Amino acid sequence: MRIGYYLHWDLSSESGVLKKVMAQIRAWQNLGANVHLFAISHQLPVCPELAEFPITVLPNGSYLTRNHQVFKLINKILDWKPDIVYTRFATYYPALEVLMKKIPVIMEVNTDDRAENRLAHSAVRNLYHSITRARLLSGAKGLVFVTHELAQRFAWKGPQTVVANGISLDAIPWATPVQNATPRLIFLGQSMSVDKNKPADWHGLDSLECLAENCPDWRFDIIGLNADQFTRPLNNVFFHGHMKASEYSAIVSLADIGIGSLAFHRISIFEASPLKVREYLAYGLPVIVAYTDTDFINGAPFLHQLPPDDTLTAQQINAVRDFVYAWLGQRVNRGAIAHLDWQTKERDRMAFFRRVLNL
């Protein structure tokens, strides 16, 4: 099978999205597919991690030239003659309709786009997306949702499946249990909002800050964000800014607990499968979350689920304390998370590709 991957993203630095795309491509190649990444990048050159992949990249261009850039890329995709094109459901460009009329396109839906756009993007971009999203969806031959909640919310009538986010277990070293005198917690995040210096609202940094205030003897390491993104400095919170996975691996390995996004409810999401949580679990860290995980619908001993709320109560903080101290010096067993591996996920996704092609 020849799979073209169309991506509009910043390829100049490592990110959760880019790590996912690379893991998907590797898995498809391991399953026998011929894959080529076709991308429009916000910045160039692309990061070194992409050197192993067949890739065609064009610069983003300005608002006035972007559709032309997409059209040039579409022509390169058509020249490559893929059997199917995979892409993330994102921004509509008229040039994409040329592609969708000639090649079956499957779109991956990662979020409630309307709710997220209201928080993360400008009013103009939000209006443009609300006007054009139906055109983009109508051209798809199939949708892959990362949660059951999203599948129900979109109520799309065409071919669809649910494949939650995964992780490359072989690529992440299981961390040896540590014997910290006091708990160490870690949060992986990045800024994704209209103000690029402001953290995404669904991170729930206010809840994280509240937890840090109420547990002053614990250490909190924050990767991907800066100190000015808390309302005030706290002696037990350490901000490390943007780091590559190879750079923050040592910090994660010293942690006892991972912290997932704590405010997905602000974008009307109550079920999720975040990449950061899979990364924590791959290292062996138990995790604090505030949503239902798609791969653990009935919960798991290593996931502490807070209610979707903007305020942490004293009772909830005490429950977090109990969870953290119960897991000190322990790690999550790899066997309990084996189904999170991308190889398992991508077999299911490629089976869906074949089903769409045979329609």
Side-chain angles (χ1 to χ4, degrees):
M1 184 186 300
R2 291 172 67 85
I3 305 172
Y5 204 131
Y6 165 78
L7 181 66
H8 193 164
W9 197 258
D10 182 3
L11 305 188
S12 65
S13 61
E14 187 181 82
S15 64
V17 168
L18 191 52
K19 285 190 287 186
K20 174 179 178 177
V21 170
M22 292 189 293
Q24 287 176 319
I25 293 175
R26 287 192 196 99
W28 296 345
Q29 290 173 331
N30 290 339
L31 292 168
N34 184 358
V35 190
H36 194 105
L37 177 60
F38 296 88
I40 299 286
S41 181
H42 300 177
Q43 297 184 57
L44 292 174
V46 302
C47 64
E49 289 80 3
L50 284 165
E52 68 180 275
F53 301 103
I55 183 171
T56 299
V57 186
L58 295 179
N60 199 37
S62 67
Y63 286 110
L64 295 177
T65 63
R66 196 157 302 153
N67 184 65
H68 179 65
Q69 291 296 93
V70 174
F71 187 75
K72 286 168 61 177
L73 189 67
I74 296 309
N75 281 333
K76 293 181 182 296
I77 295 174
L78 294 174
D79 288 342
W80 193 69
K81 297 181 174 60
D83 298 308
I84 203 163
V85 169
Y86 193 72
T87 188
R88 298 168 63 88
F89 174 58
T91 303
Y92 167 85
Y93 296 100
L96 289 173
E97 293 201 43
V98 176
L99 175 66
M100 294 188 291
K101 288 175 181 177
K102 296 184 177 182
I103 304 289
V105 173
I106 293 179
M107 296 182 184
E108 179 179 298
V109 180
N110 288 276
T111 188
D112 183 331
D113 55 295
R114 287 170 290 196
E116 182 174 312
N117 275 6
R118 285 193 293 271
L119 284 177
H121 299 303
S122 68
V124 172
R125 180 169 172 178
N126 190 23
L127 177 63
Y128 174 80
H129 182 72
S130 65
I131 292 171
T132 59
R133 72 186 297 274
R135 292 186 70 94
L136 193 57
L137 286 169
S138 66
K141 296 299 183 197
L143 297 184
V144 179
F145 297 94
V146 295
T147 69
H148 302 284
E149 178 185 57
L150 284 172
Q152 294 169 2
R153 191 169 297 176
F154 269 63
W156 200 67
K157 302 303 182 184
Q160 61 184 279
T161 191
V162 175
V163 181
N165 284 317
I167 192 75
S168 298
L169 292 178
D170 289 343
I172 295 180
W174 185 80
T176 303
V178 290
Q179 302 298 323
N180 292 319
T182 57
R184 291 185 60 155
L185 292 82
I186 189 163
F187 178 83
L188 301 176
Q190 61 181 339
S191 298
M192 289 182 65
S193 61
V194 177
D195 177 358
K196 294 302 181 184
N197 295 315
K198 177 185 175 186
D201 291 305
W202 56 88
H203 283 337
L205 285 191
D206 49 344
S207 293
L208 199 161
E209 184 175 350
C210 175
L211 186 61
E213 284 181 316
N214 283 276
C215 302
D217 56 328
W218 295 3
R219 176 185 172 113
F220 293 78
D221 287 293
I222 314 296
I223 309 296
L225 301 172
N226 299 314
D228 58 0
Q229 292 166 339
F230 264 27
T231 59
R232 55 194 173 279
L234 295 172
N235 292 333
N236 61 334
V237 179
F238 300 84
F239 288 86
H240 300 274
H242 177 78
M243 302 176 79
K244 294 183 179 181
S246 59
E247 296 170 330
Y248 64 67
S249 177
I251 301 175
V252 181
S253 296
L254 291 174
D256 297 291
I257 305 289
I259 302 175
S261 294
L262 300 179
F264 274 134
H265 60 278
R266 292 174 184 164
I267 51 173
S268 302
I269 287 179
F270 301 93
E271 178 194 343
S273 60
L275 295 166
K276 68 163 69 66
V277 170
R278 275 121 188 86
E279 192 163 355
Y280 299 144
L281 292 173
Y283 278 101
L285 302 188
V287 188
I288 300 165
V289 300
Y291 56 86
T292 297
D293 194 289
T294 305
D295 283 312
F296 304 97
I297 290 295
N298 297 316
F302 43 79
L303 293 178
H304 180 75
Q305 187 173 332
L306 291 166
D309 202 313
D310 284 340
T311 304
L312 282 178
T313 66
Q315 183 179 9
Q316 290 163 1
I317 291 171
N318 286 334
V320 169
R321 283 197 184 99
D322 291 342
F323 173 77
V324 170
Y325 284 115
W327 275 94
L328 279 184
Q330 299 185 68
R331 294 298 193 217
V332 177
N333 188 289
R334 271 283 171 102
I337 61 167
H339 62 295
L340 301 182
D341 192 77
W342 278 125
Q343 286 298 121
T344 300
K345 302 283 186 182
E346 298 316 312
R347 286 191 188 93
D348 295 339
R349 201 183 315 265
M350 284 193 66
F352 180 66
F353 293 172
R354 288 189 287 271
R355 179 155 66 91
V356 170
L357 289 174
N358 288 333
L359 289 179

